């Protein structure tokens, strides 16, 4: 089978011909149709992700496809069933052997591109806003990096959950996409003062931040008393140092979230979230935004779209 692998850090992926895997007990063999790319994939290539696999490794954190083989003891899935999975690695290949208990059956109404764009982006935002921050209707939600893979889902879900959504992105084109996803207010991070505008709107009750750096600092200073801040990543390259005195004076809460960690820490958090999200999708209340779909051979070009911040929403690689 063909697979795009990280052979050495800070180098392009290499297209390899590998032996097809065999499902072990508790695993299923999946013929992969699509793979959703994520900022974490870039960190794996650099060797700076929180999980550091041995090289060579097949890249691709989330995948969608069809079950074509069952390992011993698998009773919850059937051959021919369509699934999506957060696998961590292995999505940029024609086949993968993965644990059956991480597979999420997907409805007939969800096509393979939507399925590969769904789990991490919507799952991260839903767990962050619902389980961690307990976002309430009428609260003001500030979303940084709002046109990106996870940011755009935070805008969409925040609006669905009844919040007043303030979206921060760079440039008019990206802000228009945020507006289409439901944002009530738009801030251009390249030319406008985030702190001043948010304070003029009445302050932030919840901050959703995959960016870090100066934007986090500005957002924190625009928070209302008892606001909750969600640092989800550091796409700016700068991990903010949080001044405890501001937390103290405003009674702020900083809620860290490593979404993938719940697969081991408390899997029910993810499964309950997926159930709700798929219900919303089937009801027509969610629609993944995918800006680019490229074939497996162009996975490096697909990653460059993330690296150069040229994508909005998700980038998906079509495997078959």
């Amino acid at each position: 089978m063909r697979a795009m692998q990280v052979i050495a850090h800070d180098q392009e992926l290499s297209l390899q011909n590998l032996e097809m895997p065999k499902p072990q007990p508790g695993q299923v063999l999946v013929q992969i149709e699509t793979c959703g790319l994520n900022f974490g994939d870039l960190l794996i290539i650099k060797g700076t992700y929180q999980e550091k696999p041995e090289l060579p490794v097949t890249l691709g954190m989330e995948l969608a496809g069809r079950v074509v083989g069952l390992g011993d003891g698998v009773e919850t899935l059937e051959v021919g069933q369509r699934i999506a999975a957060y696998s961590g690695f292995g999505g940029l290949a024609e086949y993968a052997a993965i644990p059956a208990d991480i597979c999420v059956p997907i409805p007939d109404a969800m096509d393979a591109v939507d399925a590969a764009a769904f789990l991490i982006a919507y799952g991260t935002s839903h767990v962050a806003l619902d389980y961690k921050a307990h976002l309430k209707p009428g609260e003001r939600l500030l979303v940084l990096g709002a046109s990106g893979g996870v940011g755009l889902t935070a805008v969409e879900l925040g609006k669905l959950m009844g919040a007043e959504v303030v979206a921060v992105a760079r440039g008019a084109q990206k802000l228009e996409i945020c507006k289409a996803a439901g944002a009530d207010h738009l801030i251009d991070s390249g030319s406008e003062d985030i702190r001043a505008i948010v304070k003029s709107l009445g302050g932030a009750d919840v901050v959703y931040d995959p960016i870090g750096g100066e934007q986090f600092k500005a957002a924190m200073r625009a928070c209302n008393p008892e606001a909750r801040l969600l640092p989800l990543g550091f796409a700016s390259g700068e991990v903010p140092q949080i001044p405890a005195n501001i937390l103290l004076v405003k009674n702020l809460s900083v809620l860290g979230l490593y979404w993938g960690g719940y697969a081991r820490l408390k899997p029910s958090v993810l499964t309950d979230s997926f159930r709700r999200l798929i219900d919303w999708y089937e009801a027509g209340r969610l629609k993944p935004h995918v800006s680019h779909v490229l074939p497996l051979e162009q996975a490096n070009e697909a990653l460059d779209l993330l690296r150069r911040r040229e994508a909005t929403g998700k980038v998906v690689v079509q495997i078959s």
Side-chain angles (χ1 to χ4, degrees):
M1 69 172 190
R2 299 178 305 153
M4 292 294 280
Q5 291 199 308
V6 182
I7 303 298
H9 292 310
D10 281 329
Q11 293 188 13
E12 285 194 342
L13 302 185
S14 175
L15 183 61
Q16 301 287 318
N17 286 308
L18 306 177
E19 185 176 344
M20 187 180 300
K22 296 180 180 179
Q24 299 302 305
Q27 292 186 330
V28 293
L29 180 64
V30 177
Q31 183 175 11
I32 302 172
E33 297 177 36
T34 48
C35 175
L37 298 184
N38 295 274
F39 186 76
D41 292 315
L42 300 179
L43 299 182
I44 291 172
I45 293 171
K46 290 174 63 67
T48 58
Y49 193 59
Q50 52 258 44
E51 296 183 33
K52 295 180 173 60
E54 292 186 12
L55 303 185
V57 64
T58 301
L59 203 67
M61 292 184 171
E62 61 183 326
L63 59 87
R66 193 174 297 274
V67 175
V68 294
L70 304 176
D72 290 343
V74 175
E75 298 178 351
T76 56
L77 297 172
E78 300 176 352
V79 170
Q81 192 165 7
R82 300 178 66 236
I83 61 95
Y86 166 65
S87 57
F89 312 99
L92 288 177
E94 292 177 317
Y95 294 88
I98 59 176
D101 61 7
I102 69 169
C103 296
V104 179
I106 55 177
D108 292 339
M110 181 180 285
D111 65 34
V113 171
D114 278 1
F118 198 79
L119 292 187
I120 292 180
Y122 281 106
T124 297
S125 292
H126 185 246
V127 171
L129 298 177
D130 184 63
Y131 180 77
K132 297 289 285 190
H134 304 296
L135 180 68
K136 301 178 185 66
E139 290 192 308
R140 189 171 296 108
L141 169 65
L142 174 62
V143 181
L144 306 180
S147 66
V150 292
L152 202 59
T153 62
V155 171
E156 191 177 1
L157 286 170
K159 191 65 177 176
L160 183 57
M161 295 167 69
E164 178 185 343
V165 181
V166 184
V168 179
R170 183 179 294 269
Q173 182 179 2
K174 291 182 177 180
L175 288 172
E176 278 302 309
I177 292 170
C178 297
K179 183 178 180 180
D184 299 287
H185 309 283
L186 307 172
I187 300 176
D188 190 330
S189 61
S191 60
E192 295 183 297
D193 187 326
I194 295 172
R195 178 186 179 187
I197 295 174
V198 174
K199 291 190 75 170
S200 73
L201 294 172
D205 300 305
V206 175
V207 174
Y208 181 101
D209 177 26
I211 303 297
E214 292 300 319
Q215 290 193 34
F216 179 91
K217 297 174 187 177
M220 182 175 60
R221 293 179 181 278
C223 279
N224 291 326
E226 295 193 321
R228 292 88 75 200
L229 297 100
L230 295 154
L232 301 164
F234 314 105
S236 67
E238 180 185 342
V239 179
Q241 302 304 301
I242 302 170
N245 61 315
I246 295 178
L247 303 183
L248 183 153
V249 170
K250 288 191 171 185
N251 285 297
L252 303 180
S253 298
V254 179
L255 307 168
L257 173 63
Y258 170 36
W259 176 83
Y262 278 106
R264 294 182 296 273
L265 176 67
K266 197 175 181 182
S268 62
V269 172
L270 300 188
T271 55
D272 291 348
S273 175
F274 290 151
R275 193 175 298 114
R276 172 65 65 83
L277 291 168
I278 288 174
D279 285 348
W280 279 339
Y281 179 92
E282 289 191 281
R285 304 183 75 183
L286 297 177
K287 176 59 181 173
H289 177 88
V290 177
S291 63
H292 298 80
V293 180
L294 286 84
L296 180 63
E297 298 81 0
Q298 294 180 30
N300 284 305
E301 290 90 330
L303 289 163
D304 281 340
L305 292 168
L306 297 185
R307 196 176 281 116
R308 297 194 299 263
R309 307 219 197 305
E310 293 178 4
T312 55
K314 294 285 288 189
V315 175
V316 171
V317 173
Q318 187 88 42
I319 310 297
S320 62

